[in-house]
Amino acid sequence: MGYERYTRTVADEELVTTIEMQDYLKVDETEDTILIHRLLSGWTDWAKGYTWSSFKEETWRLDMEEWSAEVILRRNPVKSVDQIQYYDTADTLQVLAATEYTVYQEVPARVVIDTFPSLAERPDAVQITFKTENLEILPIARIGIMSLVALQHLQREDFKPDGPYISMAKRLFSAYRLNYY
């Protein structure tokens, strides 16, 4: 497999808002707003990456430079595959008929492609658009992320990059990590 790139095209609202986090921390200062927002964004992205999961419904696009008989979607759980598009040799965007591929939604989700039309040479020659969600762990993810943000916010003066944050985060989210192999 060659080049793969995942892009979130449509995201639901934030898992935890900055205002909710400020209320939780009992912080009113506007100077902390940017810090709290960045911590929330960072820990949310980290948790999604570590668990290989989306916590709410999100729409993704996977770009690939070539066909593969079986494509493993590395953002899970997959709710639906909306469309597969490709650029043909004339560099015209085409839609692959839904009858030409099968979607297996177990974790990890897979798309098995039956027909392989000729492609243009470009990194986004194949584009798979799909939706993900994992509402089951949403409350747990919220609590975990809020706890990590609170800990780091309270210890911001003594922050050490090699501190306990990542090991603590791994302990919080390990039970919900999707294992592919």
Side-chain angles (χ1 to χ4, degrees), residues 39-128:
L39 290 173
L40 276 171
S41 178
W43 281 117
T44 301
D45 288 347
W46 181 90
K48 288 179 181 181
Y50 183 74
T51 60
W52 294 80
S53 187
S54 292
F55 304 130
K56 300 183 112 183
E57 184 173 297
E58 296 180 311
T59 301
W60 292 88
R61 188 176 95 187
L62 167 61
D63 294 337
M64 303 182 312
E65 65 184 343
E66 61 191 11
W67 291 111
S68 177
E70 180 178 270
V71 178
I72 295 176
L73 299 175
R74 300 186 194 287
R75 300 291 186 268
N76 279 276
V78 171
K79 181 178 178 181
S80 65
V81 172
D82 298 334
Q83 188 175 51
I84 299 179
Q85 297 176 299
Y86 64 95
Y87 284 95
D88 63 15
T89 53
D91 211 27
T92 304
L93 189 61
Q94 304 287 335
V95 176
L96 188 65
T99 57
E100 299 299 322
Y101 61 89
T102 307
V103 178
Y104 298 94
Q105 290 179 295
E106 71 272 2
V107 176
R110 301 176 291 125
V111 178
V112 176
I113 300 172
D114 302 325
T115 305
F116 302 100
S118 297
L119 298 173
E121 289 190 31
R122 50 187 295 161
D124 62 347
V126 178
Q127 301 171 355
I128 301 175

Side-chain angles (χ1 to χ4, degrees), residues 8 27 33 58 95 120 135 143 154 157 160 179-180:
R8 187 175 35 229
V27 173
T33 303
E58 296 180 311
V95 176
L135 299 175
I143 291 168
L154 292 172
E157 314 276 314
K160 297 179 182 93
N179 294 314
Y180 285 106

Side-chain angles (χ1 to χ4, degrees), residues 38 114 116 138 143 151 178:
R38 288 182 179 164
D114 302 325
F116 302 100
L138 179 63
I143 291 168
L151 175 68
L178 301 176

